[in-house]
Amino acid sequence: MKYCQGTKCHTYDTSDRKRGVKGSKTNQTRKRTKFDYGHGDFCTLQCQDDWFRTHGTNAVNHFGRVTSPIILTEDNAWQRTWNRVYWEDTTQPQWVEVNTITKATRPIEGGQ
Ligand SMILES: [Zn+2]
């Protein structure tokens, strides 16, 4: 079990967040075995967004702010793309790699 990492998770008023007995009730951060957002760390997109509003700038500064453009060149521009030819001829590969810069097409390394 793990807790949602949302910085305001406990402030959303839902019955599954309520704990305690009448007179001493609290709302608590959600705890589950698995969450569906933010690589499994957040219970909702709202909680993920709350975390980013609180920590996003510090996180970017900590892990390295982009200070110059990241450049797409022919060497790293290959992207897996659905093969249009496959529509008419199913003996052709269903997926190919297309170079975003040159528009060249090549088979996917290692097949499908
Ligand atoms: Zn949450």
Side-chain angles (χ1 to χ4, degrees):
M1 297 285 265
K2 62 181 176 181
Y3 291 99
C4 171
Q5 297 302 299
T7 49
K8 294 182 179 176
C9 191
H10 61 290
T11 68
Y12 299 112
D13 197 31
T14 60
S15 58
D16 70 307
R17 289 178 171 99
K18 294 205 183 300
R19 295 288 183 275
V21 294
K22 195 175 181 182
S24 63
K25 283 196 184 297
T26 59
N27 279 17
Q28 297 186 8
T29 298
R30 276 181 171 150
K31 185 175 149 185
R32 289 186 190 154
T33 51
K34 180 181 174 289
F35 292 117
D36 292 333
Y37 297 90
H39 297 268
D41 282 327
F42 301 94
C43 71
T44 62
L45 206 54
Q46 180 68 59
C47 278
Q48 180 186 315
D49 192 48
D50 289 339
W51 187 94
F52 197 84
R53 283 175 199 276
T54 306
H55 301 297
T57 301
N58 284 340
V60 167
N61 287 336
H62 177 79
F63 293 107
R65 180 169 290 276
V66 174
T67 55
S68 60
I70 302 168
I71 298 168
L72 187 70
T73 64
E74 285 184 34
D75 289 343
N76 62 9
W78 293 97
Q79 293 186 358
R80 181 184 146 104
T81 309
W82 196 79
N83 188 7
R84 289 165 184 271
V85 178
Y86 178 81
W87 190 259
E88 304 252 318
D89 180 0
T90 56
T91 66
Q92 297 298 309
Q94 198 169 351
W95 297 91
V96 291
E97 285 186 331
V98 174
N99 192 292
T100 311
I101 304 291
T102 65
K103 306 302 177 196
T105 299
R106 73 180 185 190
I108 291 180
E109 273 180 41
Q112 297 294 299

